[in-house]
Amino acid sequence: MKKLLSVLLCAVMVLSLAACGKKDDNNADGKKVFTVGIDAEYPPFSYLGDDGSYTGFDIEVAQAACDLLGWEMKVFPVNWEQKLTQLDAKECDCIWSGMTILDSMKEAGYVISEPYYDNTQVLLVKADSGYKTSKDLAGKTVAVQLGTSGETLLNGNLSDLKASFANVVTCNSFLSCFTELGGGSVDAVFVDYPVAAAYVAENDGYSIIDEGLGAEQYGIAFRSGDQKLCDQIQAAVDQLVENGTYQKIADKYPDIVNNLIFLNK
């Protein structure tokens, strides 16, 4: 009997520990909790608003999708360089924040939504710098955010452009890149067009060198095996497009509306 009790106690302890380590997928009301991984400094897609809460096009669409599904949405700011590691660790359920779709992600088994935005890379410079083309930046210092498609392009397809620069400085966020530019530590920032456009709209004294570098598309990334979850989100987004909610959200962000694939088919 003592032996049997010991076995039962061990079983209870194992189950208790397993329950403690399991991510709670539902809130107190029984609603599914859907955690969205974002770059917290990526306007106009995801950023901290004046009221202290996260907002942006991606966050508004994600919230509207969750409302349709009857889910509670939570926002989780990721370290962009480690975003997929954090996704794998189940710190969030997806990465939905102006994320470039890469073949390497598909090959690694990640489930990717339909592309929803056409993007290019640009160079942000000070308006009075005299720089008009990328060639003008030969021998100059350029900043780029770690873990972005821009960094990948400079180390790959645009390696010739990188070789023309005197130095490439990597920063943890676009905000840090822009701070370096404002302080004169770098001569330009290699950045996604909508982020540059949003910054120029809010800050005087900057201009964009747009040569259509590195055409790419944004999508939502889910863990391997989460095709059903991806399909649920995609179906909700499709419904938002059909009922006009997607358009209403997009109209708040004029710098990106013309490149939103679902509205320009």
Side-chain angles (χ1 to χ4, degrees), residues 179-198:
T179 299
E180 294 293 314
L181 177 62
S185 299
V186 303
D187 301 289
V189 177
F190 193 62
V191 59
D192 293 3
Y193 171 77
V195 179

Side-chain angles (χ1 to χ4, degrees), residues 5-22:
L5 287 172
S6 296
V7 171
L8 289 173
L9 285 171
C10 287
V12 171
M13 289 178 66
V14 169
L15 289 172
S16 297
L17 288 171
C20 288
K22 186 179 182 295

Side-chain angles (χ1 to χ4, degrees), residues 51-195:
D51 63 354
S53 60
Y54 292 109
T55 188
F57 175 76
D58 280 344
I59 290 178
E60 287 201 51
V61 173
Q63 183 63 67
C66 285
D67 289 344
L68 275 179
L69 292 164
W71 297 351
E72 177 187 349
M73 189 184 90
K74 290 187 177 180
V75 175
F76 177 73
V78 299
N79 177 326
W80 199 248
E81 188 182 11
Q82 299 296 323
K83 58 186 178 293
L84 296 180
T85 299
Q86 292 181 279
L87 176 62
D88 288 337
K90 298 187 177 182
E91 295 181 46
C92 55
D93 296 306
C94 72
I95 303 296
W96 192 344
S97 184
M99 187 210 70
T100 299
I101 299 173
L102 300 175
D103 289 339
S104 59
M105 296 175 63
K106 295 178 181 179
E107 292 165 1
Y110 292 98
V111 177
I112 310 295
S113 72
E114 293 180 23
Y116 65 87
Y117 185 80
D118 288 318
N119 182 50
T120 57
Q121 298 291 321
V122 299
L123 287 154
L124 181 70
V125 298
K126 288 185 176 179
D128 61 359
S129 65
Y131 304 135
K132 302 299 181 184
T133 71
S134 58
K135 291 181 179 179
D136 295 334
L137 289 163
K140 306 300 181 181
T141 299
V142 176
V144 67
Q145 183 185 3
L146 282 166
T148 60
S149 58
E151 183 190 24
T152 300
L153 284 166
L154 288 178
N155 290 326
N157 293 342
L158 297 180
S159 58
D160 288 345
L161 176 62
K162 179 182 178 181
S164 72
F165 302 146
N167 188 29
V168 173
V169 174
T170 53
C171 302
N172 289 325
S173 69
F174 281 128
L175 181 59
S176 296
C177 290
F178 296 149
T179 299
E180 294 293 314
L181 177 62
S185 299
V186 303
D187 301 289
V189 177
F190 193 62
V191 59
D192 293 3
Y193 171 77
V195 179

